[in-house]
Amino acid sequence: MRATFMYGAGDVRVEHAPDPTIQLPTDAIVRVVRACVCGSDLHPYNSMAASDTPAPMGHEFLGVVEDIGSDVSAVKKGDFVIATFAFQDNTCVFCQEGFQTACVNGGWYGQPGVGGAQAEAVRVQQANGSLLAVPVDETSELLPSLLTLSDVYLTGYHAAHMGNVSPGKTVTVIGDGAVGLSAVLAAKQMGAEQIILMGRHTARTDLGREFGATDVVAERGEEGIAKVMDLTRGLGSHVVLEAVGHMPAYEQSYGIVRPGGVISRVGVPQYEAAPVGFGSLFGKNVTLNGGPAPVRAYIEQAIPEVLEGRINPGKVFDLTVGLDNTADGYKAMDSRESLKALVKP
Ligand SMILES: [Zn+2]
């Protein structure tokens, strides 16, 4: 089969790779129908040291089940499925507590020996907990929105969930990437009254307004903080959803959060240490949370929202590339020509 590998920063190649096979009774093999490039794929795209042992890429996908191991009962051959971006058994204690990304039998795509989804086929481990059959076929117009349930929309949803977004609250979303815009849509679904989107790419913030943003702040840093404080009558934002992962976004977060508020982060932090003292979190009694989204906790509720047309998070895709041209998708997203690239094997 053909599959996408990263050999180093800026070096994405589509190459022939061995067809994936069932290795454990809990495995399934899925032929990929749609995959995509994630904002988190751009972090190694900018920083990975050149290597002779490349990383298999991609973790968001829809497909058709081609084969199942003897313990797999949740899906069968021929089912059209959504895969969660991390795999999990969905039965262990952490899964039961709603943190499936910490599953004791779980893991991540793109690791050596696991494979990636920007490929013609994927070996899915823990298939019973990681694949959900949906009643559509390869011709459905809903595929882009269903694909966002693999990761991006439900990562935005997780941010809002962890931020305790509820009716009447002011929510500020930092970042106008696909996760940030998804967080806007999720905050709207949860009844937020005021949704301030911090971002400066007009085409993106326009989609943010369509998703429910009431205000857009293009300024960054101190200026951006001042603007948000103005928009909240000097009080600050009850909830800040940080969907970037760089230190300036974290600094903006504690600059605009209201006393007693919550900062919920879903941008993968590109820093190890950050201020938590009196001038950042402590002085305002601020809660800091967030992490890798357990999309499995939210996906069963989200599937009918998409199938019945109540949400259309697939609008974040503005580019489609064939699998052979996956590198073009990375390039376009990295240069911000594309918000999110869909990959069609
Ligand atoms: Zn588990």
Side-chain angles (χ1 to χ4, degrees), residues 88-92 95 103-105:
Q88 62 272 305
D89 57 20
N90 205 32
T91 56
C92 78
C95 285
C103 177
V104 297
N105 293 307

Side-chain angles (χ1 to χ4, degrees), residues 48-314:
M48 182 180 163
S51 172
D52 292 332
T53 47
M57 298 303 295
H59 51 260
E60 304 159 74
F61 59 107
L62 306 174
V64 175
V65 177
E66 286 207 316
D67 200 4
I68 56 172
S70 55
D71 287 352
V72 176
S73 54
V75 296
K76 59 184 189 305
K77 284 185 202 178
D79 279 352
F80 193 94
V81 292
I82 307 178
T84 54
F85 78 87
F87 54 85
Q88 62 272 305
D89 57 20
N90 205 32
T91 56
C92 78
V93 63
F94 296 133
C95 285
Q96 291 300 302
E97 290 175 358
F99 287 91
Q100 285 90 338
T101 40
C103 177
V104 297
N105 293 307
W108 315 95
Y109 294 97
Q111 305 293 315
V114 179
Q118 292 157 8
E120 286 182 288
V122 188
R123 170 187 166 226
V124 176
Q125 299 183 54
Q126 300 297 337
N128 281 333
S130 305
L131 294 176
L132 290 103
V134 278
V136 298
D137 65 23
E138 297 180 36
T139 65
S140 170
E141 288 177 1
L142 296 174
L143 297 190
S145 284
L146 289 170
L147 179 57
T148 68
L149 305 186
S150 187
D151 183 349
V152 60
Y153 174 61
L154 293 181
T155 290
Y157 187 95
H158 177 61
H161 175 82
M162 295 300 283
N164 297 319
V165 174
S166 60
K169 283 188 180 167
T170 291
V171 177
T172 301
V173 176
I174 301 179
D176 59 9
V179 171
L181 299 182
S182 295
V184 168
L185 178 58
K188 175 73 177 173
Q189 294 297 110
M190 293 178 192
E193 183 176 301
Q194 183 182 23
I195 303 175
I196 302 168
L197 173 60
M198 300 189 80
R200 52 182 186 177
H201 298 82
T202 313
R204 300 178 180 198
T205 55
D206 284 351
L207 179 56
R209 286 185 194 276
E210 192 182 328
F211 278 172
T214 52
D215 303 278
V216 169
V217 171
E219 292 82 358
R220 291 178 166 185
E222 290 304 322
E223 263 185 287
I225 291 171
K227 201 80 184 275
V228 172
M229 294 309 285
D230 266 2
L231 286 166
T232 57
R233 294 170 289 129
L235 302 174
S237 192
H238 292 108
V239 184
V240 180
L241 308 179
E242 195 275 274
V244 178
H246 291 292
M247 182 56 79
Y250 177 69
E251 291 166 346
Q252 272 175 209
S253 300
Y254 64 70
I256 60 177
V257 70
R258 192 176 179 114
V262 183
I263 298 170
S264 176
R265 296 176 306 160
V266 289
V268 181
Q270 301 303 300
Y271 49 84
E272 287 300 328
V276 297
F278 206 96
S280 52
L281 305 186
F282 187 85
K284 289 192 195 174
N285 278 282
V286 166
T287 300
L288 174 67
N289 63 26
V295 303
R296 189 63 181 79
Y298 316 122
I299 196 167
E300 286 178 60
Q301 178 192 324
I303 288 170
E305 297 284 313
V306 168
L307 292 179
E308 291 158 26
R310 286 190 290 277
I311 55 172
N312 192 358

